[in-house]
């Protein structure tokens, strides 16, 4: 079982002639001699029982594409799903750039031979900071949930306090992840939210604020779609109690909605997936954390932060700022941890933001809000359907309550699916207080015709 | 032997910062226009935004036409090497290898890219099948029983493991007592950093004289306070810890769980597994051993495999298959689950690439990959040690698995040049070289990992580059001192990264601090 005769295209030295020459020059008779440190008892007995290989590329292609063909995509249907992952248009230029092998296949090169990725990610940080009106942004974390969890831990380290207050209307999937990051070092309490407005209850927030609260966290727009307009008031309350304000924000809204920095947030965080990254079945996430330039904040980031520096010949040079913070430099005394996260998505977002420009982001926000307003309006005219159960002003998502139809969201969605439509995310599991409600998402890709089709199909289903 | 080093110059575009290329009024892409009927019905939309949060200014983003955007980022990509363009064996521990091109076709397929994670499972049977099949393949690869694909990287895999450990001991009422984790100095830094985040006190075992984790130190460290051990094996010295079973057995005697960091498993496929070594949980980096490209640092996957006793503690949801219908589904019903580490279910394009890579090779091919990686490493080592000024850590232990940590200590003593100098100079030859994880321990270290993707000729060329740089250190100090010469940029002033008064993390911060080219305001 030692040296096999098959030659593998991915393994050039598998050819027997080369193999012989290398063994000879290494001074051994077989690879076995090089493995003698591994005791017999630990050696695998026999061969792994894996399916038969598909060494010919043509066979592999047929096999894998055959499996993938069983998927039905959001492009092949009409999708109103959002809830943390968004079907925005991905500019072709983005796919072109991040598909370039110089970026795709690079890893942790140094600023001398991988200058390009340092500059591209420095530019990513720079554009994100402008969008967020802050001075610092990190190289992406795994996703918006890690960004939120880490932002809260940063706030805890800065304030030296151990409790955080989380908006009761936050994204439940994100909450599950944030809890992993808080546990067991930080405790949290949920701020209750109003079932009339869909926004958090400021009286409840006030009663929970105390000298042990490190941070207040809410999302804007909220998971239920509403735009929080009392940011300044919330920031005032948090700051008066000595806590920081951390706001999770949808970056696609920032052409038309104020960034959290403008209403007093200390840390803004979120996910860059809406900025030119395919949904990838939820694998397109990349987290951002953004703050002012105060070194007290900078020193608490666990992430890579690429900075700019002069070179001996007057070029733009780049490198890691405050490396000693990171777990690469200081294992168990680091600020949390850093590793391989989502850098390529950061480059994607850089190409996206440079393509969009200031006007593009404003246009995007405007068309989204117009079309979602339209959808909310026309859906509300359906018998038994209310999109006004929550009175909040929305950006791209809103709650549609189907309770009045006597049907469940699950049933309605299965009927929609039969007609080629992915209905909104069923909220009855995570938010039972909303009855049979669904979260509908309208991006710039959903046209008036699409919305009218949804309405006419719903009309038919609900009868 | 003829010197294979070649005259090289990396692309040098002197590319301006993107903001310097902005021309007011230009557009890179247009957004769909809203329909007249909608405008008539809802107006401009933005007036509905409450005044307190309506943004009335435009964000300061660059304004560029599409050709200029594409050219700018193409220039930046050309100023980056990537594994496709270089003999990337100098990034030890990271298993740089070829990412087959056919796998990119799969990863970028609309059949994958355009799936929403909350779609009805009847519409995502293809991707769920691949997730499920990958779990099945890894049962054989690891010897363990159940799988989670959620973690978005190796360090994230450690977080999942540490979270599972916590959930397990909590369930047994032992979490309060078990507040310690034991790892080793040559394990990945994450094995120390991440358990700390989960509230554990971390004990780090030093290497013994042979470079193996010190068993006596372990015996005095392990106790009923030990929640888990987090070990890499082989460590980044490339030395296989042949007594690993003594460590795992002893840890089990004290009721601890044994966690295996197999981020890099490239020397062991089909040869030695987590199960036989006594580990309860392990994670594998699909972007390392299993060929998904590294993307300048992610997206990635740290696939978790666990013993069946730990099945209920995995992150939710897990992918399962209905026995009767054969349909795949997401199982959220794990009441003892450690929770979630990532949004949704995992990084699907990375999982699909790994699946395709394993299927192309099969059991024989995986083993061939590992055996070749081991041979490549030992071949390289034999030749590298003939180069002046270079030595091997723990020289009494000659054979290594898939990588080795070397030292330029002698060259540093002889010439004053060490590993950082080699790193600067090697950029002049169109390749890359990394020192080693910190703390260095071995003076002036570097870690080389010539995975199975590199041919004998590739390895010989890299060796010639190393030999030439060593020669220059001894004979031509000026060349080294002023390196790099043929790179995209010249010597970078590192004071600008550690001094808060000087650093600038964004272009905005740069413009607040500086005018022109680094003139202080």
């Amino acid at each position: 079982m030692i040296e096999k005769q098959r030659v593998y295209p991915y393994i050039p030295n598998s050819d027997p002639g080369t193999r012989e020459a290398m063994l000879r020059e290494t001074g051994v008779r077989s690879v076995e001699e090089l493995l003698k440190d591994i005791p017999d008892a630990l050696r695998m007995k026999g061969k792994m029982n894996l399916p038969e290989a598909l060494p010919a590329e043509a066979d592999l292609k047929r096999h894998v594409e055959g499996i993938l063909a069983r998927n039905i995509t959001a492009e092949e249907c009409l999708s109103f799903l959002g809830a943390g992952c968004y079907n925005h248009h991905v500019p072709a230029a983005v796919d072109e750039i991040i598909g370039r092998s110089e970026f795709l296949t690079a890893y942790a090169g140094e600023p001398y031979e991988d200058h390009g990725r340092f500059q591209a990610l420095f530019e990513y940080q720079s554009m994100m900071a402008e969008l967020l009106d802050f001075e610092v942004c990190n190289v992406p974390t795994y996703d918006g949930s890690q960004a939120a969890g880490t932002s809260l831990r940063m706030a805890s380290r800065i304030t030296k306090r151990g409790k955080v207050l989380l908006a009761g209307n936050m994204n439940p999937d994100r909450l599950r992840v944030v809890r992993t990051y808080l546990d067991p070092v930080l405790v949290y309490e949920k701020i209750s939210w109003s079932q009339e407005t869909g926004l958090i209850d400021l009286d409840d927030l006030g009663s929970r604020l105390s000298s042990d609260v490190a941070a207040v966290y809410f999302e804007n727009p909220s998971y239920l779609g509403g735009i929080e307009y009392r940011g300044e008031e919330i920031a005032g309350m948090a700051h008066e109690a000595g806590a920081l304000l951390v706001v999770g924000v949808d970056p696609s809204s920032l052409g038309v909605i104020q960034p959290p920095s403008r209403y007093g947030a200390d840390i803004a965080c979120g996910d860059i997936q809406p900025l030119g990254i395919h949904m990838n079945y939820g694998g397109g996430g990349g987290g951002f954390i953004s703050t002012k330039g105060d070194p007290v904040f900078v020193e608490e980031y666990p992430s890579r932060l690429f900075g700019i520096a002069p070179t001996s010949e007057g070029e733009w040079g780049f490198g890691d700022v405050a490396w000693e913070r990171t777990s690469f430099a200081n294992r168990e005394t680091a600020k949390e941890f850093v590793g391989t996260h989502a850098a390529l998505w950061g480059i994607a977002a850089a190409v996206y933001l440079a393509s969009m420009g200031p006007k593009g982001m404003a246009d995007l926000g405007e068309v989204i809000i117009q079309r979602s307003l339209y959808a909310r309006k026309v859906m509300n005219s359906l018998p038994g359907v209310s999109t006004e159960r929550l009175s909040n002003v929305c950006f791209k998502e809103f709650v549609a309550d189907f309770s009045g139809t006597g049907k469940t969201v699950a049933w309605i969605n299965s009927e929609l699916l039969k007609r080629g439509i992915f209905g909104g995310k069923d909220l009855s599991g995570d938010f039972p207080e909303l009855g049979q409600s669904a979260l509908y998402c309208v991006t710039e890709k959903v046209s008036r015709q699409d919305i009218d089709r949804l309405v006419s199909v719903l009309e038919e289903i609900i009868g | 032997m003829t010197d294979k080093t070649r005259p090289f110059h990396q692309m040098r575009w002197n590319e301006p910062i993107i903001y310097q290329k902005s021309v007011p009024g230009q557009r890179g892409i247009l957004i769909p226009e809203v329909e007249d009927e909608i405008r008539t019905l809802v107006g401009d939309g933005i007036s509905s935004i409450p005044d307190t949060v309506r943004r009335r200014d435009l964000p300061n983003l660059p304004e560029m036409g599409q050709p200029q955007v594409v050219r700018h980022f193409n220039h930046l990509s050309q100023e980056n090497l990537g594994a496709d363009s270089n003999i990337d064996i100098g990034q030890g521990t990271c298993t740089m290898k070829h990412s087959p091109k056919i796998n990119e076709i799969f990863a970028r397929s609309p059949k994958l890219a355009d799936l929403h994670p909350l779609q009805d499972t009847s519409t995502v049977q293809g991707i769920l099948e691949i997730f499920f099949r990958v779990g099945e393949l890894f049962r054989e690869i690891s010897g363990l029983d159940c799988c989670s694909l959620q973690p978005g990287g190796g360090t994230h895999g450690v977080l999942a493991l540490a979270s599972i450990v916590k959930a397990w001991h909590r369930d047994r009422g032992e979490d309060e007592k078990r507040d310690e984790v034991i790892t080793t100095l040559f394990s990945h830094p994450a094995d120390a950093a991440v358990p700390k985040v989960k509230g554990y006190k971390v004990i780090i075992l030093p290497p013994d004289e042979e470079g193996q984790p010190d068993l006596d130190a372990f015996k005095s460290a392990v106790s009923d306070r030990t929640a888990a051990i987090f070990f890499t094996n082989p460590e980044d010295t490339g030395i296989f810890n042949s007594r690993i079973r003594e460590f795992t057995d002893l840890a089990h005697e004290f009721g601890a769980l044994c966690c295996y960091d197999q981020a890099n498993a490239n020397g062991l496929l089909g040869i030695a597994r987590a199960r036989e070594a006594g580990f309860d949980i392990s994670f594998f980096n699909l972007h390392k051993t299993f060929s998904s490209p590294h993307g300048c640092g992610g997206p990635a996957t740290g696939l978790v495999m666990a013993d069946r006793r730990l099945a209920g503690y995995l992150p939710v949801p897990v992918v399962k298959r209905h026995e009767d219908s054969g349909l795949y589904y997401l199982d959220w019903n794990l009441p003892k689950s450690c929770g979630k580490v990532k949004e949704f279910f995992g990084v699907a394009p990375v999982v699909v690439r790994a699946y395709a890579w394993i299927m192309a090779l099969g059991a024989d091919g995986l083993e061939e990959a590992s055996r070749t990686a081991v041979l490549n490493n030992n071949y390289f080592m034999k030749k590298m040690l003939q180069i002046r000024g270079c030595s091997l850590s723990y020289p009494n232990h000659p054979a290594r698995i898939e990588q080795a940590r070397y030292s330029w200590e002698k060259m540093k003593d002889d010439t004053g040049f060490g590993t950082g100098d080699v790193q600067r100079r090697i950029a002049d030859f169109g390749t890359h070289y990394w020192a080693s994880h910190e703390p260095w321990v071995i003076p002036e270290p570097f870690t080389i990992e010539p995975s199975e993707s590199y041919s004998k000729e590739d390895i010989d060329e890299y060796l010639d580059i190393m030999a030439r740089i060593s020669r220059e250190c001894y004979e031509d100090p000026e060349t080294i001192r002023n390196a790099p010469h043929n790179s995209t940029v010249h010597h970078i002033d590192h004071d600008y990264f550690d001094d808060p008064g000087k650093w600038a993390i964004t272009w905005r911060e740069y413009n607040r601090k500086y005018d022109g080219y680094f003139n202080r305001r």
Side-chain angles (χ1 to χ4, degrees):
Chain A
M1 66 172 262
I2 303 165
E3 269 70 45
K4 307 195 177 59
Q5 291 306 301
R6 173 174 274 165
V7 173
Y8 296 87
Y10 309 160
I11 313 175
N13 293 342
S14 58
D15 106 75
T18 308
R19 174 63 53 106
E20 273 315 305
M22 289 183 74
L23 286 168
R24 197 169 51 246
E25 292 187 47
T26 307
V28 292
R29 269 168 308 172
S30 71
V31 173
E32 274 303 308
E33 280 185 42
L34 301 169
L35 296 170
K36 60 184 178 219
D37 268 358
I38 307 176
D40 258 2
L42 300 190
R43 287 295 294 268
M44 179 159 182
K45 307 288 178 279
K47 210 164 82 169
M48 289 183 286
N49 180 21
L50 297 179
E52 192 167 344
L54 298 165
E57 190 170 287
D59 295 333
L60 183 70
K61 184 167 189 287
R62 176 184 293 204
H63 170 73
V64 177
E65 290 185 342
I67 301 176
L68 289 175
R70 298 179 63 196
N71 296 325
I72 300 164
T73 71
E75 296 295 278
E76 292 164 330
C77 289
L78 172 57
S79 174
F80 293 92
L81 286 167
C85 182
Y86 299 102
N87 191 17
H88 288 286
H89 176 66
V90 176
V94 171
D95 282 335
E96 169 74 17
I97 297 297
I98 65 167
R100 288 186 64 94
S101 77
E102 299 93 331
F103 282 144
L104 179 72
T105 68
Y107 197 15
E110 303 300 324
Y112 292 115
E113 86 283 338
D114 274 5
H115 175 87
R117 79 180 174 106
F118 278 89
Q119 182 166 340
L121 287 164
F122 173 81
E123 293 177 349
Y124 160 78
Q125 294 168 183
S126 299
M127 288 185 269
M128 288 298 290
E130 291 294 346
L131 197 59
L132 292 155
D133 201 7
F134 261 139
E135 269 198 320
V136 174
C137 184
N138 61 340
V139 174
T141 63
Y142 298 115
D143 57 20
S145 295
Q146 188 200 7
T150 286
S151 296
L152 293 166
R153 288 188 78 122
M154 285 171 64
S156 161
R157 290 194 292 274
I158 292 167
T159 60
K160 301 190 169 51
R161 295 177 177 189
K163 187 201 282 184
V164 295
L165 304 181
L166 306 178
N169 58 2
M170 79 177 280
N171 179 331
D173 196 50
R174 179 166 294 177
L175 174 60
R176 289 186 195 100
V177 181
V178 166
R179 283 166 52 178
T180 302
Y181 283 90
L182 300 182
D183 174 61
V185 180
L186 298 179
V187 295
Y188 74 92
E189 286 177 17
K190 276 179 136 181
I191 309 159
S192 60
W193 57 281
S194 156
Q195 288 190 44
E196 271 136 52
T197 65
L199 302 176
I200 57 170
D201 177 348
L202 297 197
D203 290 337
D204 187 57
L205 168 63
S207 71
R208 291 178 190 279
L209 275 166
S210 64
S211 59
D212 57 354
V213 174
V216 173
Y217 172 83
F218 68 85
E219 287 158 1
N220 203 8
S222 83
Y223 177 73
L224 299 175
I227 298 171
E228 177 56 78
Y229 61 92
R230 303 159 303 173
E232 212 157 321
E233 198 179 337
I234 298 169
M237 293 170 73
H239 290 158
E240 198 168 316
L244 301 184
L245 178 62
V246 179
V247 178
V249 66
D250 175 351
S252 72
S253 71
L254 294 177
V256 294
I257 297 177
Q258 293 282 32
S261 55
R262 299 248 178 106
Y263 47 82
D266 302 283
I267 305 177
C269 59
D271 203 301
I272 57 174
Q273 184 273 327
L275 304 181
I277 298 152
H278 290 279
M279 297 185 291
N280 286 306
Y281 195 49
F288 65 84
I289 300 170
S290 185
T291 61
K292 55 194 164 184
D294 183 348
V296 170
F297 282 76
V298 174
E299 289 289 355
E300 296 306 329
Y301 278 84
S303 329
R304 306 286 290 269
L305 298 168
F306 291 164
I308 192 166
T311 72
S312 56
E313 303 286 324
E315 300 129 335
W316 296 121
F318 300 94
D320 278 277
V321 168
W323 179 248
E324 294 300 313
R325 298 169 290 114
T326 69
S327 60
F328 285 142
N330 284 297
R331 302 178 165 229
E332 73 284 9
T333 58
K335 301 295 162 65
E336 297 169 56
F337 56 80
V338 67
T340 300
H341 298 249
L344 194 67
W345 300 151
I347 296 175
V351 180
Y352 182 85
L353 290 172
S355 300
M356 294 288 278
K359 193 70 177 43
M361 291 307 289
D363 287 353
L364 177 73
E366 187 172 331
V367 74
I368 286 174
I369 208 161
Q370 285 172 314
R371 285 183 172 165
S372 71
L373 268 173
Y374 176 74
R376 190 172 176 181
K377 211 172 193 125
V378 292
M379 281 176 76
N380 200 49
S381 66
L382 288 165
V385 179
S386 170
T387 59
E388 301 294 337
R389 168 155 183 172
L390 302 179
S391 65
N392 50 22
V393 177
C394 291
F395 176 58
K396 71 186 176 197
E397 291 173 284
F398 57 88
V399 171
D401 183 2
F402 292 89
S403 304
T405 66
K407 310 274 202 288
T408 64
V409 171
W411 182 83
I412 292 169
N413 280 354
S414 72
E415 290 300 309
L416 286 173
L417 181 58
K418 286 179 194 162
R419 294 158 178 85
I421 297 175
F422 299 161
K425 152 87 174 148
D426 188 345
L427 294 171
S428 62
D430 288 320
F431 293 91
E433 57 271 50
L434 291 173
Q436 286 300 320
S437 288
L439 185 64
Y440 271 74
C441 176
V442 176
T443 69
E444 78 284 9
K445 285 168 73 172
V446 179
S447 70
R448 180 198 164 208
Q449 245 182 343
D450 294 332
I451 297 165
D452 290 349
R453 188 177 139 222
L454 168 73
V455 168
S456 78
V457 171
L458 276 173
E459 211 161 18
E460 176 199 326
I461 293 170
I462 297 162
Chain B
M1 196 170 79
T2 52
D3 183 348
K4 288 185 180 171
T5 58
R6 50 180 114 187
F8 165 83
H9 202 301
Q10 190 163 0
M11 193 62 85
R12 183 190 293 164
W13 284 107
N14 277 303
E15 190 64 15
I17 303 301
I18 196 163
Y19 279 96
Q20 298 177 299
K21 302 177 92 172
S22 176
V23 178
Q26 297 193 351
R27 305 283 300 260
I29 191 163
L30 299 177
I31 310 304
E33 294 258 353
V34 79
E35 298 83 347
D36 289 341
E37 300 85 339
I38 292 186
R39 193 187 302 279
T40 309
L41 199 64
V42 305
D44 68 358
I46 48 177
S47 304
S48 71
I49 301 170
D51 229 29
T52 52
V53 286
R54 179 163 163 198
R55 188 173 196 158
R56 291 177 188 277
D57 62 328
L58 292 173
N60 177 26
L61 296 171
E63 296 176 74
M64 298 166 77
Q66 193 175 98
Q68 287 67 38
V69 172
V70 170
R71 190 180 306 134
H72 174 74
F73 285 101
N74 270 357
H75 285 179
L76 294 185
S77 75
Q78 289 170 349
E79 292 177 334
N80 216 59
L81 275 182
D84 273 3
S85 306
N86 95 84
I87 303 166
D88 209 354
I89 68 179
Q91 182 74 46
T93 80
C94 296
T95 318
M96 303 307 296
K97 65 169 63 178
H98 179 61
S99 300
K101 296 297 141 188
I102 187 70
N103 298 352
E104 285 313 302
I105 306 234
F106 307 143
R108 290 179 212 170
S109 157
K111 281 292 192 184
L112 175 60
D114 296 327
L115 296 178
H116 190 285
L118 301 174
Q119 285 180 215
D120 190 272
T121 51
S122 67
T123 63
V124 288
Q125 286 296 302
I127 187 64
L128 290 177
E129 180 173 344
I130 289 182
F131 275 35
F132 183 83
R133 282 171 174 253
V134 165
E136 295 294 300
L137 297 173
F138 273 86
R139 289 168 59 126
E140 274 301 300
I141 291 168
S142 67
L144 298 170
D145 307 305
C146 35
C147 175
S148 169
L149 287 159
Q150 208 172 91
T155 303
H156 220 192
V158 183
L159 180 70
L161 265 50
S163 302
I164 293 166
V165 166
K166 199 147 206 52
W168 166 266
H169 289 306
R170 252 187 202 149
D171 195 32
R172 276 154 189 71
E174 296 203 341
D175 178 51
E176 294 287 313
K177 181 181 79 178
R178 294 187 183 273
D179 60 350
E180 292 179 350
V181 155
I182 303 175
T183 183
T184 73
L185 193 62
F186 288 130
S187 288
H188 190 276
D191 295 311
V194 177
K196 190 80 191 301
V197 169
K198 292 305 289 180
Y200 289 111
K201 186 182 153 217
V202 176
I203 299 169
I204 299 177
L205 299 179
D208 67 14
E209 282 172 9
E210 287 295 307
Q212 303 223 12
D214 191 318
L215 186 58
D216 290 330
F218 182 67
K219 284 175 179 163
S220 38
V222 69
S223 73
D224 59 3
R225 287 181 62 184
T226 310
I229 65 169
F230 281 72
F231 276 33
T232 305
N233 189 29
E235 299 179 315
D236 72 18
T237 52
I239 297 174
F240 188 88
N241 177 356
S242 48
R243 294 173 305 184
I244 187 64
R245 190 80 211 205
E246 291 177 61
F247 287 85
T248 54
D249 284 347
L250 192 56
H252 283 146
E253 274 175 41
F254 282 94
L257 289 174
C258 297
C259 302
Y260 194 176
D261 177 339
Q262 288 199 280
N264 177 344
N266 209 46
L268 298 180
L269 300 174
I271 295 169
R273 309 189 299 180
R275 164 71 71 198
E276 287 77 10
F279 285 98
D280 305 295
I281 338 176
S282 179
F283 74 91
F284 296 85
N285 284 5
L286 301 188
H287 52 291
K288 290 184 177 166
T289 312
F290 299 92
S291 93
S292 188
H294 289 74
C296 290
T301 293
L303 174 148
V304 172
M305 289 304 297
D307 182 82
R308 61 174 58 83
R309 289 174 300 130
L310 296 166
Y313 302 87
L314 290 177
V316 279
V318 290
V319 180
K320 291 200 174 149
R321 183 171 180 269
H322 278 296
E323 280 308 318
D324 36 356
S325 67
L327 291 175
Y328 300 93
Y329 67 103
L330 294 162
D331 185 3
W332 289 85
N333 188 23
L334 274 69
K336 292 175 175 177
S337 163
C338 68
K340 289 197 83 182
V341 295
K342 195 172 191 307
E343 288 170 14
F344 305 113
F345 325 120
V347 187
V350 174
V351 176
V352 169
R353 289 189 192 103
Y355 176 72
W357 188 78
I358 295 168
M359 288 304 294
L361 288 169
D364 289 335
L366 294 187
E367 199 173 333
E368 181 71 12
S370 282
R371 288 174 174 275
T372 305
V374 172
L375 178 59
N376 282 0
N377 183 41
N378 285 278
Y379 172 84
F380 179 90
M381 192 167 78
K382 172 105 181 198
K383 304 236 160 164
M384 184 70 216
L385 291 174
Q386 293 163 11
I387 294 173
R388 190 175 179 192
C390 170
S391 61
L392 181 65
S393 57
Y394 308 103
N396 296 333
H397 203 110
R400 302 294 157 113
I401 306 295
E402 86 292 20
Q403 59 185 331
R405 195 188 274 214
Y406 303 86
S407 170
W408 288 118
E409 183 179 23
K410 177 152 185 356
M411 187 169 80
K412 178 88 174 176
D413 289 346
D414 293 346
T415 69
F417 293 122
T419 195
D421 303 293
V422 176
Q423 187 172 61
R424 262 189 302 109
R425 176 62 174 150
I426 208 166
D428 288 331
F429 298 97
T431 187
H432 159 233
Y433 161 111
W434 171 69
S436 289
H437 278 306
E438 296 175 56
W440 278 359
V441 190
I442 312 290
E444 301 302 322
F446 60 106
T447 305
I448 301 288
E449 184 183 6
S451 79
E452 77 282 1
S453 297
Y454 300 98
S455 68
K456 180 173 181 295
E457 292 70 25
D458 293 339
I459 297 171
D460 289 343
E461 181 175 346
Y462 197 91
L463 284 160
D464 281 352
I465 295 167
M466 298 293 258
R468 174 156 164 188
I469 293 174
S470 159
R471 202 160 57 239
E472 289 172 346
C473 287
Y474 281 94
E475 295 165 13
D476 184 8
E478 276 312 295
T479 297
I480 299 292
R481 200 161 289 129
N482 300 320
H485 307 273
N486 305 328
S487 170
T488 305
V489 292
H490 294 82
H491 197 283
I492 298 166
D493 184 346
H494 279 251
D495 285 353
Y496 286 76
F497 303 134
D498 294 321
D499 177 351
K502 283 181 158 183
W503 73 42
I505 299 166
T506 54
W507 187 238
R508 173 188 279 210
E509 199 176 25
Y510 177 84
N511 284 306
R512 179 169 64 75
K513 290 182 177 175
Y514 303 101
D515 192 17
Y517 187 73
F518 290 96
N519 304 313
R520 290 299 288 264
R521 283 192 192 273

